[in-house]
Every structure is written in C-alpha cells, then in structure tokens.
Amino acid sequence: MNLCQKTRALCALLLCALLLSACGQDAAPADTASNLTCTLSISCTAVLDQLPPEKAGLLPEDGWILPATTVSFTEGETAFDLLQRFCREQEIHLEFDQAPGMDSAYIQGIGNLYEFDCGDRSGWTYYLNGESPNYGCSEAVLQDGDTVAWEYLIF
C-alpha cells in the first residue's frame, strides 16, 4: 500500500469512528428557548466623551450597544456563553481570547470598541446582579432572574 492509499484508508476509518461515536446520542434541541430568563445590557456610556474620533460612527450615539433586554438562556449557561450567543444572533461584533487550560474568557472588544481604545486603563468588565464578581465571566453560571451588565470603563 502506498502513502496515498494509507492516507485514504486512515481518513475512511476516522470518518467511520466519527459517525459511530454520534450514534445513540440524543440530538441537541434545535430551539434553545427556555423558561429561564435574565436581563442583558452592553454599554459604553461612561466613556462617550472620551471615544477616539475613528469610533464615532461605529457606536450608538447614546452609548448603548444593547439597552437592558430580557433574554432566555439554558441551564448551565454562563455570562460569557450568553454574551457570545447573543452577539452572534444579533450580529454584534465580539472579540475575545480564551486562556488555554484556565477555562476563562477575556473580552477584548464588543461592537468594535476594544480594550485600550480610551487609554491604557480602559476595557470591558461585567457585573452580575449589580456586583463585580471576583471570577471570570466563563465561571459565572446564570440563574433565573439574573442581571448581566457589560460596561466599557476606564479603570
């Protein structure tokens, strides 16, 4: 068997293994709606007067990328999961970094507003029920009725 034939055989085996590994598993529900809801908001109102001129046309004039909105979530979702899913669904630009091995996400930019755009001490932070948790958004498992507020601040 030459190298090309070996590669094809290996690919066929991997494909079979992949297909068989999915057998017997319940399919994920197409609709992720649930009875669990929380309030989500995304704001840069605190820095409106300090935005660089090149950001003027990219952000809402009132600074609210997302005013307080009631959204559904599924059990086990975190503040990061919710932000990522909602931004994808609403086509709001989101850029983040996930530290390998730390199960933590760092928000670099939302709505084309990035860390350090308003100075070396500016960036995104989140609040859960009005408090700034001492743990990352990837660890903040949501509960029914929670309020998650993302704010761009100068620290």
Side-chain angles (χ1 to χ4, degrees):
M1 212 183 252
N2 67 30
L3 181 60
C4 186
Q5 291 170 323
K6 287 180 184 179
T7 303
R8 284 186 189 146
L10 180 59
C11 286
L13 282 173
L14 289 173
L15 181 59
C16 287
L18 180 65
L19 291 172
L20 289 174
S21 70
C23 291
Q25 294 182 1
D26 292 336
D31 184 7
T32 59
S34 70
N35 293 329
L36 302 173
T37 61
C38 67
T39 302
L40 176 65
S41 64
I42 306 171
S43 169
C44 61
T45 58
V47 297
L48 279 179
D49 60 339
Q50 299 172 49
L51 288 173
E54 62 271 12
K55 297 293 178 174
L58 298 175
L59 297 164
E61 288 183 20
D62 66 356
W64 286 98
I65 296 169
L66 176 70
T69 303
T70 300
V71 295
S72 296
F73 67 93
T74 57
E75 187 173 341
E77 270 193 292
T78 65
F80 172 67
D81 296 331
L82 179 67
L83 177 69
Q84 186 178 24
R85 179 175 54 80
F86 191 84
C87 285
R88 183 178 53 247
E89 290 171 358
Q90 299 302 311
E91 297 182 357
I92 298 171
H93 178 79
L94 173 66
E95 196 161 328
F96 60 91
D97 188 23
Q98 287 191 288
M102 294 186 63
D103 193 30
S104 180
Y106 176 75
I107 305 304
Q108 297 170 319
I110 304 174
N112 294 301
L113 182 60
Y114 289 87
E115 61 181 337
F116 313 129
D117 276 350
C118 291
D120 61 358
R121 295 178 46 124
S122 63
W124 289 99
T125 191
Y126 82 105
Y127 295 90
L128 183 60
N129 300 320
E131 302 287 326
S132 180
N134 62 353
Y135 46 87
C137 60
S138 302
E139 300 172 63
V141 178
L142 297 173
Q143 303 298 317
D144 193 34
D146 278 350
T147 298
V148 180
W150 287 91
E151 295 186 24
Y152 189 89
L153 301 171
I154 298 174
F155 303 94

